Amino acid sequence: MVVSLGTAGLAFAVAVLRDIRVSDAGVQGAIVGGLAGVIGAILGAAVGALNTRAAEERRWQHEEQTRRRTQGEERAPEVRKELLAAADLLSAAAGAERSKKLPRSHGVPWERPDVADIQRHTQRAADLAVYIPEGRVRTFTKMAVKGLENWDDANDGGADEPWIMADLVKDEVNEVFGAYGRGDELPDAPYVVKLVAGIDSWWDEISQLEEEHRQRELEAKAVTGKPVKA
């Protein structure tokens, strides 16, 4: 923009000097000096406007970063609370309490929670986590949500019993969100990472078995015209 204005001003000066038939060098110098002053004023105003705009953009960016950081600090305790509440539903005490409400003939020491009860907490945690500007905290929240919602798949795939899983997930939730709240370096979350990897591995295995069964059905149908029994 500044270069364009300078070029336009120079072209204007040349055009003026061509049109004005003045042989007196002093008059020509005065004209050139006047035009240079005008062009300088234009360029100075343009540079000043650009500097003002850049300063305003830096201020807006700073204000936006401050707003997001403040919003994240306000939301983080709520996310932490919801994740801990979801994990509590898998605890030994919660499972035993649910078991007490079942008919005595059921005879189990730990009763599984309703998926909807867990999701009420995990989905709220996921919704609130989007306001946290720190990407690693959002990623950890996403993994913790997946681990808690799919605890039974993890258990089927060889993970810990749900009440043990709950305590270990809670430990890492407290470590990650505690560090974030203090402004400390965020710790790793090896248990939650391993938990999610186990869930993904279990789903991959199930998908593979389902695909193999589908292929057998197709092959059997091609030979006999009837699908194979599961």
Side-chain angles (χ1 to χ4, degrees):
M1 177 180 177
V2 175
V3 175
S4 298
L5 286 172
T7 303
L10 181 59
F12 174 69
V14 172
V16 169
L17 288 175
R18 284 176 177 172
D19 290 342
I20 298 177
R21 306 289 184 178
V22 179
S23 60
D24 191 316
V27 174
Q28 289 181 351
I31 292 173
V32 171
L35 289 173
V38 171
I39 293 172
I42 293 173
L43 292 175
V47 171
L50 288 175
N51 289 337
T52 299
R53 180 176 179 181
E56 289 178 347
E57 288 180 350
R58 287 193 298 271
R59 177 175 60 81
W60 293 335
Q61 290 175 356
H62 177 71
E63 290 176 353
E64 176 62 15
Q65 290 172 353
T66 301
R67 185 190 67 79
R68 291 190 64 202
R69 184 167 57 251
T70 300
Q71 193 175 48
E73 291 171 353
E74 292 173 350
R75 293 290 190 268
E78 298 179 59
V79 176
R80 179 184 194 172
K81 178 182 177 182
E82 295 297 340
L83 292 176
L84 293 177
D88 278 337
L89 292 173
L90 297 173
S91 68
E97 188 63 28
R98 287 189 296 269
S99 182
K100 290 178 182 179
K101 299 177 181 179
L102 297 174
R104 289 189 176 275
S105 59
H106 196 278
V108 295
W110 187 90
E111 175 61 22
R112 60 191 298 129
D114 192 316
V115 174
D117 291 337
I118 290 180
Q119 289 180 336
R120 268 194 289 273
H121 295 294
T122 54
Q123 290 307 303
R124 177 163 171 75
D127 291 342
L128 292 171
V130 300
Y131 298 104
I132 298 177
E134 174 54 59
R136 288 182 61 193
V137 176
R138 295 197 304 272
T139 298
F140 170 78
T141 300
K142 183 178 180 179
M143 290 192 300
V145 165
K146 185 173 182 176
L148 291 168
E149 288 184 348
N150 299 279
W151 66 269
D152 50 347
D153 290 331
N155 186 240
D156 290 341
D160 298 304
E161 296 295 345
W163 48 88
I164 297 175
M165 186 189 306
D167 288 340
L168 295 173
V169 170
K170 286 171 66 176
D171 286 344
E172 291 191 347
V173 167
N174 284 324
E175 290 172 4
V176 171
F177 281 90
Y180 178 69
R182 294 188 301 271
D184 296 341
E185 183 178 354
L186 297 178
D188 294 328
Y191 186 78
V192 168
V193 171
K194 181 179 179 181
L195 186 64
V196 171
I199 292 170
D200 290 341
S201 178
W202 175 249
W203 284 350
D204 288 343
E205 184 178 345
I206 294 301
S207 297
Q208 183 178 351
L209 291 174
E210 290 177 346
E211 178 61 21
E212 290 174 356
H213 177 69
R214 189 180 73 85
Q215 289 297 330
R216 287 197 303 271
E217 282 190 329
L218 292 175
E219 291 170 2
K221 188 174 182 180
V223 175
T224 65
K226 297 179 181 181
V228 67
K229 294 183 178 179

